[in-house]
Amino acid sequence: MADFSSLGLSDWLVKQCKQLGINKPTPVQENCMPPILEGRDCMGCAKTGSGKTAAFVLPVVQKLSEDPYGIFCLVLTPTRELAYQIAEQFRVLGKPLGLRDCIIVGGMDMVSQALELSNQPHVVVATPGRLADHIRSSDTFSMSKIQFLILDEADRLLEQGCTDFTKDLETILATLPAKRQTLLFSATLTDTLHELKNIAMNKPFFWESKSETRTVEELDQRYILTPEKVKDAYLVHLIQTFTDEHDDWSIIIFTNTCKDCQVLTMMLREFNFPTISLHSMMKQKQRFANLAKFKASVFKILVATDVAARGLDIPTVQVVINHNTPGLPKIYIHRVGRTARAGRNGVSITLVTQYDIHLVHSIEGQIQTKLKEYPVEEKEVLKILTQVNVTRREIEIKLESTDFDEKKEINKRKQLILEGKDPDLEAKRKAELEKIRSQKKKFKLKIQESIQRQKHGQLKKKLIKRKQLKKKKAAQATA
Ligand SMILES: Nc1ncnc2c1ncn2[C@@H]1O[C@H](COP(=O)(O)OP(=O)(O)OP(=O)(O)O)[C@@H](O)[C@H]1O
């Protein structure tokens, strides 16, 4: 196996790696770093927790040390928390160099960010929306000379999901030089390969870890089949068991919506579990503070939406619980990848209702692994069922009396304004679309009913005819 020196890193950087416990390159590092150092574009696809961040940070820091200037490198990433994590890796590995980084994410003060950008940091780590806002509103910084553009979680940045980055990416790409190195990394790159190649890449070096499974071997992947109404009781029971048996374990619970995230956090606190939440309806400062408390093990349980599904590297996380079965295998891969990182063991448990079984099959098909049933004493779960459900209901009532839903509506309106849309017009458009959809549905239903009636009529006619024929035959026979 190669060492970092033979891959082309300077002695001071190898020493810096050692201080972080990074002694031998992981496969993605061993394979992707040489072509990057040679000046090639690169696409790296490797499992969660396999060291993709250092695979791009190290070559950039090496190259920066040979020709330091700002702005040298731009890293784009889908979430704000991930931007901080990546910037930290640059800061630590580039410390002997005096590397200056700048983090540009939404929810933080725009003026101080603009000031930092104008001071020409070596590395800018950003979420696309906020960086595009700076480009549109100010001309005090330039990225026309950057040498590296990196898209971390590249497939997420390019997919048109609920947060669509494509417009912002277009704005950003238009300000970058054509002559640059573009590096794309993710654990699920292959699904969006075609779109990724459109990012004007120059014969990229492509590397994918050779493995039939798409999740790591150290991860014990389990499921519990449960009726929807018993889900929370299973959750409370699982957490009770884990916390009784282990002192130093942390657990991440993934939920489908911000509201669910909030309800579960409050409910688990009622049961005295040290729980904290992370979702997009929280103020950014609170998000950072909560994540820091979870990382420091002040709170052992983090309830989060998919905002925490990608990239977060928290070594103490031993268990990931999916409170809902993810609708897409890709989301499942990233969620469960928050445990069993860098060779450690971990467990993931997905709560599956009878309506989600097809989703589990599709996940199993993608990851090429069968999930195993997690054994639970059902009797124990039933003992707490009423208490858990009553607690949940009380919390839901409490939350309804706060302005949680209202805040969500306000946030939505703010987002639309930022996207340059009129919230009232959008609401009208949405209502009209909904009306058309419901009319179409009604029409379809009517047609189906009329077909059904026709079929029924035809059948009735056939039966009458058959009866008449039978009668006729019987009459002929007696005559
Ligand atoms: N060569 C190495 N030896 C030991 N540990 C390493 C090495 N490279 C990286 N690590 C550590 O492995 C952990 C996971 O790395 P990283 O966060 O880069 O994973 P990733 O592949 O980006 O995962 P994800 O797809 O979830 O974002 C980090 O704590 C990192 O410090």
Side-chain angles (χ1 to χ4, degrees):
M1 194 194 239
D3 59 21
F4 282 114
S5 301
S6 68
L7 296 182
L9 293 191
S10 301
D11 289 347
W12 66 268
L13 193 46
V14 176
K15 209 169 131 197
Q16 198 65 6
C17 286
K18 281 205 174 117
Q19 284 189 359
L20 286 179
I22 299 179
N23 297 316
K24 275 187 193 154
T26 62
V28 65
Q29 293 160 359
E30 185 177 345
N31 285 281
C32 292
M33 282 171 50
I36 299 173
L37 287 167
E38 273 166 31
R40 292 185 64 182
D41 285 354
C42 176
M43 299 168 83
C45 181
K47 291 177 186 180
T48 51
S50 61
K52 292 186 288 296
T53 319
F56 63 77
V57 171
L58 286 170
V60 170
V61 173
Q62 174 66 39
K63 286 284 179 189
L64 180 71
S65 72
E66 293 164 15
D67 179 17
Y69 68 87
I71 301 173
F72 183 80
C73 169
L74 167 65
V75 185
L76 296 175
T77 187
T79 66
R80 300 164 182 181
E81 286 75 11
L82 208 43
Y84 274 75
Q85 192 177 290
I86 294 167
E88 191 179 61
Q89 284 241 14
F90 271 106
R91 209 172 304 147
V92 176
L93 287 167
K95 186 142 201 299
L97 209 63
L99 183 146
R100 281 184 300 115
D101 66 274
C102 162
I103 304 166
I104 303 294
V105 296
M108 303 302 275
D109 183 43
M110 191 124 174
V111 179
S112 55
Q113 285 179 353
L115 207 69
E116 276 191 63
L117 277 171
S118 64
N119 279 336
Q120 298 189 316
H122 298 117
V123 177
V124 174
V125 188
T127 48
R130 178 53 71 89
L131 183 63
D133 284 348
H134 278 285
I135 292 171
R136 289 179 200 118
S137 65
S138 126
D139 54 3
T140 55
F141 70 101
S142 162
M143 293 192 294
S144 63
K145 291 200 174 71
I146 63 151
Q147 190 162 326
F148 285 98
L149 165 68
I150 299 163
L151 303 193
D152 188 36
E153 307 295 346
D155 55 326
R156 174 65 195 96
L157 287 172
L158 294 172
E159 84 192 2
Q160 290 165 358
C162 55
T163 316
D164 191 345
F165 296 112
T166 43
K167 272 222 170 77
D168 296 324
L169 280 180
E170 272 170 26
T171 307
I172 296 165
L173 289 176
T175 67
L176 305 182
K179 193 172 170 294
R180 61 167 195 256
Q181 273 181 262
T182 306
L183 316 178
L184 311 178
F185 283 88
S186 177
T188 49
L189 209 54
T190 30
D191 308 341
T192 35
L193 220 49
H194 183 69
E195 290 91 320
L196 294 169
K197 283 198 172 140
N198 289 340
I199 294 272
M201 295 186 76
N202 186 18
K203 289 191 198 126
F205 170 79
F206 176 71
W207 189 79
E208 185 175 18
S209 53
K210 283 190 198 76
S211 168
E212 284 187 0
T213 57
R214 296 182 69 185
T215 42
V216 294
E217 275 165 27
E218 293 81 4
L219 177 67
D220 183 10
Q221 302 183 68
R222 303 286 183 146
Y223 73 89
I224 293 173
L225 192 61
T226 160
E228 185 72 41
K229 276 186 190 156
V230 194
K231 233 185 194 186
D232 292 337
Y234 269 107
L235 181 72
V236 171
H237 175 74
L238 280 176
I239 294 174
Q240 188 63 63
T241 320
F242 283 132
T243 45
D244 283 351
E245 290 172 4
H246 306 274
D247 284 336
D248 54 346
W249 277 24
S250 299
I251 302 172
I252 299 187
I253 301 160
F254 282 105
T255 63
N256 207 13
T257 62
C258 297
K259 194 166 182 179
D260 236 9
C261 187
Q262 193 67 28
V263 169
L264 284 186
T265 306
M266 290 164 77
M267 187 187 84
L268 293 177
R269 282 186 174 182
E270 287 292 316
F271 285 95
N272 289 327
F273 295 125
T275 312
I276 208 154
S277 58
L278 184 67
H279 58 74
S280 60
M281 276 185 64
M282 290 162 53
K283 289 226 164 71
Q284 191 52 45
K285 285 205 172 130
Q286 189 67 56
R287 269 166 70 166
F288 287 138
N290 283 9
L291 188 60
K293 283 178 200 158
F294 180 65
K295 276 187 174 176
S297 288
V298 178
F299 289 84
K300 298 277 190 187
I301 300 160
L302 178 76
V303 187
T305 56
D306 283 323
V307 77
R310 283 182 182 249
L312 290 186
D313 182 51
I314 307 163
T316 50
V317 175
Q318 290 272 1
V319 185
V320 166
I321 299 176
N322 285 317
H323 186 258
N324 72 302
T325 312
L328 289 174
K330 199 194 253 202
I331 296 177
Y332 174 87
I333 292 171
H334 287 282
R335 279 184 178 187
V336 299
R338 293 319 99 214
T339 184
R341 297 176 69 74
R344 293 181 195 88
N345 292 321
V347 190
S348 70
I349 302 166
T350 302
L351 299 176
V352 182
T353 70
Q354 68 268 38
Y355 306 109
D356 305 324
I357 292 169
H358 66 289
L359 298 177
V360 174
H361 290 155
S362 140
I363 289 166
E364 289 178 332
Q366 278 276 324
I367 63 171
Q368 291 291 301
T369 306
K370 282 252 172 250
L371 308 195
K372 285 187 260 168
E373 187 159 13
Y374 190 82
V376 185
E377 285 275 350
E378 216 177 302
K379 264 196 313 206
E380 297 302 312
V381 177
L382 293 177
K383 271 187 206 165
I384 56 168
L385 180 62
T386 314
Q387 191 195 358
V388 171
N389 284 352
V390 168
T391 312
R392 182 180 177 118
R393 189 64 206 125
E394 279 168 2
I395 281 162
E396 280 173 343
I397 292 167
K398 222 191 241 175
L399 211 61
E400 270 158 27
S401 67
T402 69
D403 53 356
F404 194 84
D405 285 323
E406 219 170 278
K407 264 192 203 150
K408 194 172 177 182
E409 204 42 50
I410 292 169
N411 279 354
K412 259 193 205 161
R413 288 176 74 85
K414 269 191 203 160
Q415 187 57 36
L416 286 168
I417 292 168
L418 284 174
E419 286 169 15
K421 295 172 187 159
D422 179 335
D424 293 324
L425 261 176
E426 284 300 311
K428 220 172 163 186
R429 210 174 55 86
K430 218 173 158 190
E432 269 164 20
L433 269 175
E434 203 47 55
K435 205 172 152 189
I436 294 171
R437 237 179 251 143
S438 110
Q439 275 170 349
K440 266 188 181 169
K441 211 172 165 186
K442 267 187 201 159
F443 186 62
K444 213 170 153 187
L445 217 71
K446 252 188 184 170
I447 291 183
Q448 272 170 351
E449 275 171 10
S450 117
I451 293 173
Q452 213 60 35
R453 252 188 310 213
Q454 246 178 12
K455 272 187 188 164
H456 190 70
Q458 280 167 356
L459 199 72
K460 218 172 168 184
K461 265 186 199 166
K462 258 188 196 169
L463 281 174
I464 293 172
K465 242 186 189 173
R466 215 181 276 168
K467 254 188 190 170
Q468 284 172 342
L469 211 71
K470 252 188 184 172
K471 257 188 190 171
K472 207 173 168 187
K473 271 185 186 168
Q476 278 169 354
T478 46

